[in-house]
Amino acid sequence: MSSTSPSHTYRIELTPPDITSYQAGNTGTPYVTTFDSGKPGPHVMVQALTHGNELCGAIALDFLFREGVRPVAGRLTFAFANIEAFASWDTSDPNRSRYVDEDYNRVWSDDTLKGERNSTELRRARELVKFVDAADFLLDIHSMHDPCAPIMVCGATGEGGEKSAAFARKMQVPQNLLIDTGHPAGLRMIERGPFRDPRAPQTAILIECGQHWESSSVDVAIDTALRFLQATGVVESSFVKSRLRIQPTAAQTTINVTHAVVAKSLSFRFAGTVTGLQVIAKAGDPIAYDGDEVIVAPYDNTVLVMPSMAHLKVGTTMVRLGRATLG
Ligand SMILES: [Zn+2]
């Protein structure tokens, strides 16, 4: 078996949008804008640039601003999150602008937000948390390091994942919905407060639109944002329908993460070339090697969720394993 990995650099098909005209906003917080319909309805939030090198969300928000989207019920908030990381964008080294000090999407527990620690990302999260906590519906727009079909990350099993997946089924996209087990490194924004309470109506979803710099990620980001706004009821269907870009598949697939494969040594390698959402047909077939250990598929049709050699360190989650069901 070879030890090929998908960690090479990909072609950059996107140009970072000029978002400086959104800096002032209208909320007192830079790069956050709220439109109020003046009518009853939910508070809906769409966030881009959680990671500064994920351009498609910023392009999607810029598109919606320029198209003049306005709520017909409730309120609509658009936020560009990690603007300092985004400002450091360098086409010759685009991965460096993911964050400045730490991952902005691992700091969302109250312990961390209200704690003593400080960082560029924590300061920004402390500015934005009041908007997140006021949101009834939240869409967080991301993209992935390696090429992969779009995935809706719905949150963790028993902690909001199921209600978010139900909401994504109303949107009819993307084909793949992921219910996972969270990240040990820290709480994500979509797992905060009532979003993680299965009985609370507040719902948050995170779309992974494809590889960071492929042009198709923009179509996914715009289409997903439009369908999200329609499903919340704050934007008229006529506005949405004329701007959709993607035909939904007949049936969506729900992938429940069952295992996380964590590197125990720097000799970790996959058993051949792997791609996101690749299916290992037979239980017992090798997935990876780590020192003397062979990691095998725990059941037939094991799905590889976001395998990546990009961040190999002892203790890093290299791939998660999931079980897929239709619907
Ligand atoms: Zn991301």
Side-chain angles (χ1 to χ4, degrees):
M1 288 280 183
S2 72
S3 60
T4 47
S5 77
S7 60
H8 50 77
T9 301
Y10 303 104
R11 203 156 69 87
I12 299 176
E13 299 174 348
L14 302 179
T15 304
D18 179 0
I19 61 168
T20 51
S21 60
Y22 308 118
Q23 179 171 4
N26 64 358
T27 61
T29 301
Y31 289 99
V32 181
T33 299
T34 295
F35 299 114
D36 191 338
S37 70
K39 297 183 184 134
H43 182 195
V44 174
M45 180 170 177
V46 183
Q47 178 170 283
L49 296 179
T50 294
H51 295 127
N53 62 340
E54 300 179 359
L55 304 180
C56 61
I59 296 171
L61 282 194
D62 181 45
F63 171 83
L64 291 170
F65 271 118
R66 285 187 290 103
E67 293 291 299
V69 67
R70 292 292 183 277
V72 293
R75 286 179 294 152
L76 175 57
T77 292
F78 288 159
F80 298 92
N82 201 340
I83 43 174
E84 286 199 44
F86 174 69
S88 73
W89 172 269
D90 176 355
T91 303
S92 67
D93 192 4
N95 284 314
R96 280 189 58 193
S97 57
R98 181 172 177 79
Y99 53 75
V100 178
D101 297 320
E102 63 178 318
D103 190 331
Y104 175 84
N105 206 25
R106 301 287 182 271
V107 301
W108 290 91
S109 71
D110 272 350
D111 281 354
T112 305
L113 285 175
K114 295 175 181 169
E116 298 286 308
R117 212 160 59 69
N118 219 338
S119 70
T120 300
E121 280 72 22
L122 264 169
R123 281 191 290 278
R124 186 61 173 156
R126 286 166 182 150
E127 287 181 346
L128 262 62
V129 65
K130 63 176 182 277
F131 300 99
V132 175
D133 285 352
D136 296 298
F137 296 98
L138 170 69
L139 172 66
D140 190 14
I141 304 179
H142 291 245
S143 53
M144 293 178 270
H145 184 274
D146 297 299
C148 183
I151 300 173
M152 188 71 86
V153 178
C154 299
T157 305
E159 295 183 338
E162 290 78 8
K163 70 177 177 183
S164 297
F167 188 83
R169 287 184 200 107
K170 279 197 235 171
M171 294 166 57
Q172 298 183 284
V173 295
Q175 184 182 353
N176 294 292
L177 313 179
L178 183 73
I179 299 176
D180 61 23
T181 53
H183 280 285
L187 206 67
R188 295 169 291 189
M189 200 172 60
I190 63 163
E191 296 172 293
R192 195 174 152 70
F195 296 138
R196 64 184 294 146
D197 178 355
R199 293 156 303 175
Q202 289 90 337
T203 302
I205 48 180
L206 184 163
I207 182 70
E208 297 279 7
C209 295
Q211 204 280 329
H212 290 325
W213 308 302
E214 64 187 353
S215 57
S216 62
S217 68
V218 171
D219 291 335
V220 175
I222 289 174
D223 191 83
T224 303
L226 287 166
R227 291 178 190 275
F228 170 76
L229 295 177
Q230 183 177 33
T232 64
V234 296
V235 170
E236 279 181 336
S237 291
S238 57
F239 179 92
V240 169
K241 284 188 175 136
S242 60
R243 292 168 175 83
L244 291 177
R245 298 184 174 201
I246 291 172
Q247 187 69 29
T249 50
Q252 286 165 293
T253 301
T254 304
I255 301 162
N256 284 85
V257 170
T258 57
H259 299 68
V261 177
V262 175
K264 294 176 184 159
S265 76
L266 292 178
S267 65
F268 181 98
R269 67 192 198 279
F270 286 107
T273 303
V274 291
T275 55
L277 301 177
Q278 183 177 331
V279 176
I280 306 297
K282 287 284 164 217
D285 280 357
I287 292 171
Y289 305 101
D290 194 357
D292 295 334
E293 188 183 354
V294 183
I295 295 126
V296 300
Y299 36 78
D300 288 352
N301 299 317
T302 297
V303 181
L304 304 186
V305 177
M306 292 186 231
S308 182
M309 290 293 287
H311 307 290
L312 175 60
K313 280 188 306 202
V314 173
T316 297
T317 299
M318 305 303 292
V319 61
R320 290 172 288 164
L321 309 180
R323 197 190 293 274
T325 49
L326 268 185

